[in-house]
Amino acid sequence: ENKRVKVFGFVFMDNHIHLLWRIQDGFLRENVQRDFLRFVGQQMLKVLRNSNQNLMIEFFVGAKDRKYQIWERNSLSIEIWNEEVFIQKLEYIHNNPLRAKLCELPEQYFYSSAKFYLTGENDFEFLEHYKG
């Protein structure tokens, strides 16, 4: 919404997500990542409060600075420096649902950018092709 990132690839799994994004000029990675994690965590807790309070208990930590924790403290963030590594990472994340036996082909899993790259169909307004 604020155009701080361009999202080129993703997959949402049951217990983790992968994002391939480029942080736009003028924004710091630490700030963008912090704000993303905070926003998504708050949205997840909001949904759980309204639909599944039993599951919400799973995220209770009762720490001094927070009641609930959605994300691991040290989420992994790496820089990708060339197209070859980008393609390798994109294929890896698109194959996550296959490894988890959630589908037979990457493009069958809805919560992924695989269908976009394999068929050209874009079901997500935030997703852009890495080649522009």
Side-chain angles (χ1 to χ4, degrees), residues 37-101:
L37 294 174
R38 180 183 295 143
F39 176 77
V40 173
Q42 289 171 347
Q43 294 303 307
M44 290 173 68
L45 288 172
K46 182 178 173 181
V47 168
L48 291 174
R49 266 188 214 97
N50 294 327
S51 65
N52 193 340
Q53 292 205 357
N54 291 334
L55 182 58
M56 191 170 171
I57 293 167
E58 302 269 335
F59 299 99
F60 182 78
V61 293
K64 284 184 179 182
D65 63 339
R66 69 180 45 93
K67 287 174 72 172
Y68 299 94
Q69 183 167 327
I70 298 293
W71 304 106
E72 286 185 15
R73 282 297 214 181
N74 297 316
S75 57
L76 180 61
S77 178
I78 61 169
E79 292 191 37
I80 298 174
W81 292 101
N82 63 49
E83 187 173 352
E84 181 182 346
V85 174
F86 177 88
I87 298 296
Q88 176 190 30
K89 300 300 182 192
L90 189 65
E91 289 175 358
Y92 172 82
I93 69 171
H94 286 166
N95 285 311
N96 259 226
L98 277 74
R99 287 189 291 278
K101 300 189 183 339

Side-chain angles (χ1 to χ4, degrees), residues 23 27-37 77 79:
I23 296 171
F27 297 101
L28 297 175
R29 181 181 65 152
E30 306 81 43
N31 295 344
V32 171
Q33 186 169 312
R34 178 201 63 223
D35 292 349
F36 172 80
L37 294 174
S77 178
E79 292 191 37

